[in-house]
Amino acid sequence: MWKNLRKRPLCVICLLLMLLIIFARAANLPVFGEPPEDSLVSDCVLQGQRVSVVGTVTDRRQKNRSTQLILTNSYLRSESRSISLKKISVTADPEAAILAGSVVVVSGILSQPEGASNPGQFDLHDYYAGQQIYYTLYAEEWEILEKGGGIRETLLSLRNALLDRIDRMTGPETASALKAVLLGDRSGLTEEEKRNYQVGGILHIFAISGMHISFLGRGFLKLLQRLGLPLLPAAGVSFLTLACYCFITGAAASSLRAVCMFAVYLGGRILLRTYDPLCALALAGILLLLENPSLLFTSGFQLSFCAILAVSAGWHSVSWLLPPQVKKPGTPGKGAVGGRAELRQRRKRQLFGWLRYFGRLVLRYSLFWFSLTVILLPLTIWYYYEIPVFGLLPNLLLVPGAPVLLASGTAGLAVGAVSLEVGGKLLLPADWIVTGLRDLTERIRTFPLATWVCGKPALWQLLATELLLLLLLAVLYKGREIRDAAEDRGKKVLQRRYRKMGAAGLLLMMIILLVRPQPDWSLTMLDVGQGDCLVLRERENCFLVDGGSSTVKEVGKYRILPYLKSQGVHHLKGIFVSHPDEDHTNGLLEVFAAISSRQATLRADYLYLPLWMRGTKEERALRQGAEAADTEVVYLARGDRITTDQMEICVLNPFPQGGIQRGNSGSLVLSLSCGSFDALLTGDLEQDGERLLLPLEKNYEYLKTAHHGSSGSTSKAFLEAVQPQVAVISAPVRSRYGHPHRETLQRLEDAGTAVYCTRDRGALRAWGSGDTWRMEGFLPAGTG
């Protein structure tokens, strides 16, 4: 295998370039195209000032409620100077009719794509960096300085016309899926549909990639040649057509890679040279990474390139271990001599021959899918944290159906330009396949254990698994060479030996990748902006304490649930609500909705509410959400206790009778003990509520600072009673309330308490085993 690698210098160059980019990223070298940091731009972003940006529109995407414009050669225009922003994404009114190629000045609020501040959170900064976009702007006003047009606008208009044609030729049930499959437009897919396809393991069909480019490119080339066009002009027309198709569908990394490889294939045909997919893949990687090194760190680039490696090299290394495919059974001659009994025997043998042929074909398809899934599994789990258990079923339908789907879709769109009726009929096979896939994945989603939520592996697990996988494939590749050189009697012996070796390597790989070492306990405060959410975990027992935000939209969907999924949590023992303020509860309502609609592979046993909420109007929405998710509601007051294997949670507030029974000072206060570690979780408790808790029976290592660090909480007397070693505060970078307040920080400093805030370090995790524990932030110090 290494000998063959040396024969492919492009592969070696591509690998070295990737290593160089990784080292440059680790050293923070300015080679990724990001504009140099400017103090004026930073101040505008930090303070949310209104700015004016000038740029040229190069792309336009119609969203459900807005229009996205991509501006290149853009710069921020100020009174004193102009500052280059390079490429910027602008969100404008859905009715904004701005032609591609137009030079515009757009006014609005400038921002930077947000990086992940919690485990499992989608990293918007890296996603946009993969497109060389480092700033976004919400347009309030715009002015066209120079009207556009030309080839870009023609292609965008063609895209919109094709999308409209699909709507007119098919029903609304399948139009959104066909738009995604044929044109890469996923804006019409509902969250329910996306989840169905994800659970079914076929979400990849909606990414325009090698399957589309290879089928359309080679098919169009063959059609042009059959029409009598010579190879050279046919290749040129095919390449230009695919390049336009790539632009129309969004020019994602997977489609750019496929177009580059198709260009190499055409070059090989023209020069009468052998096409080597690995060399073509390496050349595509070199060209894309030289243009944009940030692509290396995007999931689309990694999964696309690894998929081709799996097909080109991985399948070649393992396919020889499978039983060979049998030939199609022959058809008996029409004039065959024999009686009825002999004829029945021939038909019976023929039937068994066809059954054996199709059985072996399904077996090879299944093992092909399995081998590709295993090769891509480390990256799949790294980015998606779950394994579709029944993914084989839809993929068995997709393997023979994909060519029919693309052929029917292409023909229907082409003919639909002349006759919508005829085009709609040509589109029927694609419609049937999409409907079958939709119904099958919808049914699979109702299966118990349809997905296995395994969580995100540690970086060392990912690297160790990838190295082991490469070593295993190299050994199997060498075994194939040895088998080919062996005598006939030794071939089966070698095959059995290497099958056992492959199974042992696969088992070891799964153990390294899927086993999750856990500390005895952990306590994580998520960064939810202006809000609260803590996750308590003691081995397999997991609890939520609050979950909401007044600054982060859909905090449950985009922060709480992704965190739980990344940690492999599929069962919550309980959910505590300190009090019913929106910034403590709106994310929990989303969690209950996701559980009841099966959007999340999760269940929750109990919802714990402070006793005074029973029968109040604030309780109603939480109770309804809990009941829809089959979660039992329990009311807590001082003296109640909840215990697990090694953890005890005691309720200190509210009091069963007397005390403060409503508002912030009626917050549910929890005293958590796990071994020698004690934590006090205070909700939004204020100083009048703190006085009711004094004196406390013990000191605490960990204090969840009440009310986001408000000056009306965490009094000096309370700190003297608690004597915390560490205090954690949930507060955003720009709090409209000024949290955390300077007075509170000063009192904590005077008490000798180490302070951690989510605005500075993202998610804050305390964890320990035995008598030792430590604190860590998701973000490095100084990056918040």
Side-chain angles (χ1 to χ4, degrees):
M1 187 172 184
W2 309 120
K3 182 179 178 181
N4 289 324
L5 186 61
R6 287 196 300 269
K7 293 180 180 179
R8 296 180 171 93
L10 281 176
C11 295
V12 177
I13 294 172
C14 186
L15 290 173
L16 292 176
L17 177 60
M18 290 180 177
L19 289 174
L20 185 62
I21 292 172
I22 292 172
F23 290 140
R25 174 82 170 246
N28 291 319
L29 297 178
V31 296
F32 295 95
E34 188 168 1
E37 186 173 346
D38 187 279
S39 59
L40 177 59
V41 177
S42 300
D43 290 342
C44 291
V45 171
L46 186 62
Q47 299 171 17
Q49 296 179 1
R50 193 171 187 270
V51 301
S52 294
V53 174
V54 180
T56 303
V57 178
T58 55
D59 198 3
R60 182 181 66 248
R61 288 285 183 269
Q62 198 67 38
K63 305 296 183 180
N64 291 333
R65 299 179 181 177
S66 63
T67 298
Q68 182 189 29
L69 304 174
I70 303 299
L71 306 186
T72 56
N73 301 321
S74 61
Y75 60 89
L76 186 148
R77 190 168 65 179
S78 69
E79 296 179 358
S80 57
R81 58 196 176 102
S82 299
I83 304 167
S84 173
L85 301 178
K86 294 190 176 180
K87 196 174 180 181
I88 183 171
S89 172
V90 175
T91 301
D93 188 276
E95 304 301 325
I98 302 177
L99 302 180
S102 299
V103 178
V104 297
V105 54
V106 186
S107 300
I109 304 300
L110 187 70
S111 62
Q112 289 180 299
E114 187 177 31
S117 57
N118 298 291
Q121 182 183 340
F122 182 70
D123 196 318
L124 200 60
H125 178 274
D126 281 356
Y127 171 76
Y128 274 114
Q131 304 172 55
Q132 295 181 303
I133 297 173
Y134 295 95
Y135 292 97
T136 60
L137 186 141
Y138 287 86
E140 298 172 357
E141 295 180 1
W142 59 87
E143 178 185 353
I144 299 175
L145 302 180
E146 182 180 328
K147 192 173 181 179
I151 183 64
R152 284 183 178 273
E153 180 57 35
T154 301
L155 292 175
L156 290 178
S157 299
L158 175 61
R159 171 189 171 87
N160 292 333
L162 292 174
L163 292 173
D164 178 67
R165 202 167 295 160
I166 292 176
D167 280 328
R168 297 168 66 183
M169 289 190 297
T170 61
E173 301 84 5
T174 55
S176 57
L178 285 174
K179 289 178 185 178
V181 172
L182 299 175
L183 298 171
D185 180 15
R186 300 204 286 185
S187 61
L189 290 174
T190 64
E191 293 296 327
E192 192 80 8
E193 289 174 319
K194 291 178 184 177
R195 184 58 182 164
N196 287 343
Y197 293 124
Q198 186 176 3
V199 170
I202 58 170
L203 194 60
H204 58 85
I205 68 170
F206 301 122
I208 305 299
S209 60
M211 178 182 73
H212 300 73
I213 301 298
S214 177
F215 176 81
L216 296 175
R218 297 193 184 199
F220 192 51
L221 177 66
K222 187 179 293 185
L223 175 63
L224 292 177
Q225 287 187 288
R226 287 191 175 181
L227 292 175
L229 201 64
L231 176 60
L232 188 58
V237 172
S238 299
F239 178 76
L240 288 176
T241 302
L242 280 188
C244 293
Y245 176 72
C246 179
F247 175 79
I248 287 175
T249 56
S254 57
S255 55
L256 288 172
R257 183 266 308 157
V259 169
C260 289
M261 294 183 68
F262 183 69
V264 175
Y265 166 78
L266 292 177
R269 288 283 305 273
I270 293 170
L271 298 175
L272 302 179
R273 301 291 296 271
T274 302
Y275 172 69
D276 180 43
L278 291 180
C279 286
L281 181 68
L283 179 60
I286 292 170
L287 294 176
L288 292 177
L289 292 176
L290 287 176
E291 168 64 20
N292 182 11
S294 296
L295 275 176
L296 181 61
F297 305 103
T298 62
S299 60
F301 180 92
Q302 294 174 15
L303 290 169
S304 174
F305 274 73
C306 285
I308 299 301
L309 282 173
V311 173
S312 302
W315 176 244
H316 180 77
S317 298
V318 302
S319 59
W320 67 279
L321 299 176
L322 311 180
Q325 177 61 26
V326 297
K327 295 182 179 180
K328 293 181 181 180
T331 303
K334 293 182 179 180
V337 181
R340 291 183 178 180
E342 187 175 346
L343 182 60
R344 283 196 298 269
Q345 287 295 325
R346 283 200 300 268
R347 288 177 176 173
K348 187 176 180 181
R349 285 195 299 269
Q350 187 183 21
L351 175 62
F352 280 113
W354 278 107
L355 290 175
R356 186 165 177 258
Y357 170 77
F358 281 115
R360 191 67 63 85
L361 188 64
V362 170
L363 176 64
R364 291 188 70 83
Y365 274 149
S366 302
L367 293 176
F368 174 74
W369 170 85
F370 179 75
S371 62
L372 263 62
T373 300
V374 168
I375 293 172
L376 292 174
L377 190 62
L379 281 178
T380 302
I381 295 177
W382 178 262
Y383 286 111
Y384 299 106
Y385 325 132
E386 66 180 355
I387 301 173
V389 177
F390 299 99
L392 173 63
L393 301 179
N395 278 280
L396 281 179
L397 174 61
L398 186 61
V399 169
V404 179
L405 173 60
L406 293 176
S408 169
T410 305
L413 286 176
V415 175
V418 180
S419 171
L420 290 175
E421 183 179 356
V422 177
K425 291 181 179 179
L426 290 175
L427 210 58
L428 280 177
D431 194 312
W432 294 333
I433 293 172
V434 166
T435 301
L437 290 172
R438 184 193 65 212
D439 293 344
L440 179 58
T441 54
E442 188 175 353
R443 178 60 61 87
I444 287 174
R445 193 170 156 197
T446 64
F447 293 175
L449 298 176
T451 59
W452 177 20
V453 177
C454 53
K456 185 174 183 176
L459 181 60
W460 72 265
Q461 290 177 297
L462 176 71
L463 296 178
T465 304
E466 294 286 12
L467 288 174
L468 179 60
L469 186 59
L470 287 173
L471 178 62
L472 180 61
L473 291 177
V475 169
L476 295 179
Y477 186 92
K478 185 64 177 178
R480 181 170 191 150
E481 294 180 344
I482 296 173
R483 191 284 307 262
D484 291 342
E487 297 181 357
D488 290 342
R489 286 183 297 178
K491 291 183 185 295
K492 291 187 177 180
V493 175
L494 283 170
Q495 196 176 41
R496 286 195 295 269
R497 184 183 303 167
Y498 277 92
R499 280 177 182 169
K500 294 178 181 178
M501 192 181 301
L506 179 61
L507 178 62
L508 179 59
M509 188 188 92
M510 291 300 181
I511 292 174
I512 295 174
L513 184 63
L514 298 177
V515 172
R516 299 282 184 271
Q518 293 287 343
D520 289 345
W521 58 268
S522 66
L523 175 54
T524 304
M525 173 178 278
L526 298 186
D527 177 16
V528 291
Q530 187 71 42
D532 256 357
C533 183
L534 290 98
V535 182
L536 315 180
R537 195 169 185 187
E538 183 259 324
R539 296 296 182 181
E540 298 304 315
N541 300 306
C542 187
F543 298 86
L544 279 183
V545 181
D546 289 331
S549 175
S550 59
T551 58
V552 177
K553 293 181 179 180
E554 298 184 285
V555 65
K557 177 181 178 181
Y558 292 117
R559 301 216 178 175
I560 300 174
L561 288 171
Y563 172 79
L564 295 175
K565 193 174 179 181
S566 73
Q567 302 304 302
V569 175
H570 51 82
H571 176 211
L572 293 172
K573 293 284 288 184
I575 299 174
F576 296 92
V577 173
S578 65
H579 65 296
D581 284 359
E582 183 184 51
D583 63 337
H584 290 250
T585 60
N586 57 9
L588 298 180
L589 295 176
E590 296 173 35
V591 171
F592 286 135
I595 294 173
S596 60
S597 64
R598 303 181 68 90
Q599 284 288 328
T601 307
L602 185 69
R603 61 189 175 93
D605 292 342
Y606 299 101
L607 171 64
Y608 297 109
L609 302 177
L611 180 62
W612 59 264
M613 282 186 64
R614 185 199 297 267
T616 62
K617 63 179 182 179
E618 295 93 341
E619 175 213 29
R620 189 175 304 124
L622 288 167
R623 171 176 278 281
Q624 289 174 350
E627 290 175 349
D630 292 325
T631 300
E632 183 179 347
V633 180
V634 177
Y635 300 91
L636 300 178
R638 185 182 180 99
D640 290 331
R641 296 176 184 270
I642 298 165
T643 60
T644 61
D645 296 337
Q646 301 178 32
M647 184 168 64
E648 182 180 58
I649 302 173
C650 301
V651 180
L652 303 184
N653 197 60
F655 290 78
Q657 294 178 344
I660 300 174
Q661 293 294 322
R662 289 186 182 276
N664 290 341
S665 286
S667 292
L668 195 67
V669 176
L670 304 176
S671 175
L672 164 69
S673 296
C674 195
S676 60
F677 177 83
D678 296 299
L680 187 62
L681 313 180
T682 56
D684 275 0
L685 193 69
E686 294 180 340
Q687 290 188 18
D688 51 356
E690 293 173 356
R691 285 192 291 269
L692 295 175
L693 299 185
L694 300 179
L696 293 170
E697 296 179 356
K698 58 183 174 183
N699 300 330
Y700 291 87
E701 282 76 23
Y702 180 105
L703 171 66
K704 183 269 173 188
T705 308
H707 206 185
H708 320 289
S710 166
S711 60
S713 301
T714 320
S715 66
K716 182 179 179 180
F718 187 72
L719 286 174
E720 288 175 351
V722 177
Q723 297 185 21
Q725 298 178 22
V726 165
V728 296
I729 303 174
S730 178
V733 175
R734 293 186 299 275
S735 171
R736 72 182 71 172
Y737 309 105
H739 295 155
H741 289 161
R742 187 178 305 169
E743 300 92 327
T744 304
L745 295 176
Q746 186 62 53
R747 288 196 292 267
L748 289 167
E749 182 181 344
D750 293 342
T753 302
V755 178
Y756 292 80
C757 187
T758 56
R759 71 177 182 184
D760 303 318
R761 302 292 303 276
L764 303 171
R765 181 174 183 247
W767 59 274
S769 296
D771 294 329
T772 62
W773 68 279
R774 60 177 295 184
M775 279 288 302
E776 61 186 9
F778 180 72
L779 302 176
T783 61

